[in-house]
Structure formats: C-alpha cells, structure tokens
C-alpha cells in the first residue's frame, strides 16, 4: 500500500508506543484515547508484574468488575491479589 506524503496508516505511532514500553508512554496513550487522567503508578505496577489488586483496578477503571478482570488477567498468567 502506498500513501501520499501527508498520509499515514498509523503504524509508526502505534509501534512507537509498543517499542517504547514505558509506563509513561502507555499512560500518555491511554489519556489521549480515553480523555481522562491515568494513574501512572497503577500502570507501572501492571507493567512490572505486580499482582493485580482491587485498588489498581479501581484506580484505572472505577466501574470495572474486579472479579471479571482478575479472572482474565489470571488466565493470561498475571498474578492477582484478591
């Protein structure tokens, strides 16, 4: 696929985020996409492999169901602290 000079498929931006891998980069991405502040410490905890807790889930998404999120992340191999 060919793009004009002023066009992009967005991959540079998306892969830049993935290649960066920092909590700051993800928090900035999330804030831009969801138009709300994202707790950097909660993002850091997840990215460093800290167990998922009710506090982390509530900080990132106050309306999220912790039990559902815990099941999903546990299935992916991420530790959970109920």
């Amino acid at each position: 696929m060919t793009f004009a000079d002023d066009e992009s498929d967005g991959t540079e931006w998306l892969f830049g985020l993935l290649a960066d891998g920092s909590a700051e980069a993800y928090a900035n991405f999330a804030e831009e996409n969801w138009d709300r502040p994202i707790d950097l410490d909660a993002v850091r905890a997840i990215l460093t492999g800290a167990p998922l807790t009710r506090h982390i889930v509530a900080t990132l998404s106050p309306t999220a169901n912790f039990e559902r999120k815990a099941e999903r992340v546990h299935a992916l191999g991420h530790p959970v602290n109920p």
Side-chain angles (χ1 to χ4, degrees):
M1 181 173 272
T2 305
F3 294 97
D5 290 339
D6 63 339
E7 294 180 324
S8 168
D9 64 357
T11 55
E12 182 178 322
W13 170 79
L14 180 60
F15 288 119
L17 169 66
L18 295 173
D20 184 302
S22 71
E24 292 81 4
Y26 182 77
N28 288 334
F29 162 80
E31 287 177 352
E32 289 175 10
N33 280 290
W34 291 297
D35 197 31
R36 65 181 184 85
I38 302 296
D39 186 277
L40 189 54
D41 289 333
V43 173
R44 280 191 186 117
I46 291 171
L47 290 179
T48 61
L52 187 69
T53 63
R54 289 181 185 277
H55 175 73
I56 291 171
V57 171
T59 299
L60 293 173
S61 182
T63 62
N65 180 297
F66 175 76
E67 285 75 20
R68 271 196 219 144
K69 298 301 176 193
E71 285 178 23
R72 287 178 151 174
V73 299
H74 180 71
L76 294 170
H78 192 93
V80 175
N81 259 357

